[in-house]
Structure formats: structure tokens, C-alpha cells
């Protein structure tokens, strides 16, 4: 039989893991929103590698982009990228 304190100790999340999971969840949700056809100017799904690149750059605030966000995304995709950029505190 397993002790309850042992189970609680195993399930306790470390602060660094909490931050890492937070970043990853925000990036994955952002990548999905940016990949939607309604978000892109061409009306097609954005490849996942491109979407995760945009989301990672938005969250981390690096400023690296393969195209200007105003040229790549429609009015429905710009708020997603803006939210990702503002979550990092960047001005892009």
C-alpha cells in the first residue's frame, strides 16, 4: 500500500517545471490558433513548424519573424499573435 504523503510528494510540481509547462502550453495553444485557416491571409492551414516558430518567437520575445505579421495574418489571426507577444512583454 502506498502512503498518502508519498503520493503527494511525487505529484508536487517543482517551480521550474511549472514555468516550463506554462510556456509550452501557451506556445502550443498559440501555434494552433495561428495555424488555423481563418488566421492566415491565404486561407490555408499554416504548417505546424511555421506556427510553432511564430508562437515561440511571440512568447519569448525574440523578434525573429519570417514575414511581417501584418502581411501574414488576417484580422482574426493578429490578436493571437498580439496576445503571444504581449505575454512576453515585447513590443513586436
Amino acid at each position: 500500500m502506498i502512503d498518502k504523503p508519498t503520493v503527494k510528494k511525487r505529484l508536487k510540481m517543482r517551480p521550474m517545471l511549472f514555468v516550463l509547462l506554462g510556456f509550452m502550453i501557451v506556445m502550443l495553444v498559440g501555434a494552433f490558433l495561428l495555424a488555423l485557416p481563418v488566421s492566415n491571409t491565404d486561407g490555408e492551414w499554416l504548417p505546424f513548424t511555421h506556427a510553432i516558430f511564430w508562437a515561440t518567437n511571440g512568447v519569448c520575445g525574440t523578434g525573429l519573424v519570417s514575414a511581417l505579421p501584418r502581411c501574414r495574418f488576417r484580422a482574426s489571426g493578429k490578436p493571437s499573435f498580439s496576445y503571444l507577444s504581449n505575454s512576453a512583454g515585447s513590443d513586436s
Side-chain angles (χ1 to χ4, degrees), residues 78-91:
K78 290 177 186 175
S80 301
F81 187 72
S82 177
Y83 173 75
L84 291 171
S85 297
N86 288 332
S87 68
S90 68
D91 294 329

Side-chain angles (χ1 to χ4, degrees), residues 16-60:
M16 192 57 143
L17 184 60
F18 182 74
V19 171
L20 177 67
L21 287 176
F23 268 99
M24 292 197 57
I25 289 170
V26 170
M27 283 188 275
L28 289 175
V29 169
F32 174 73
L33 292 174
L34 291 174
L36 290 173
V38 74
S39 298
N40 298 308
T41 55
D42 58 3
E44 296 180 6
W45 282 91
L46 188 66
F48 183 72
T49 53
H50 293 216
I52 200 73
F53 179 79
W54 279 89
T56 303
N57 289 325
V59 170
C60 296

Side-chain angles (χ1 to χ4, degrees), residues 4-19:
K4 286 187 179 183
T6 306
V7 172
K8 285 184 179 181
K9 188 175 182 180
R10 286 183 187 170
L11 295 178
K12 187 176 180 182
M13 191 176 296
R14 297 184 180 121
M16 192 57 143
L17 184 60
F18 182 74
V19 171

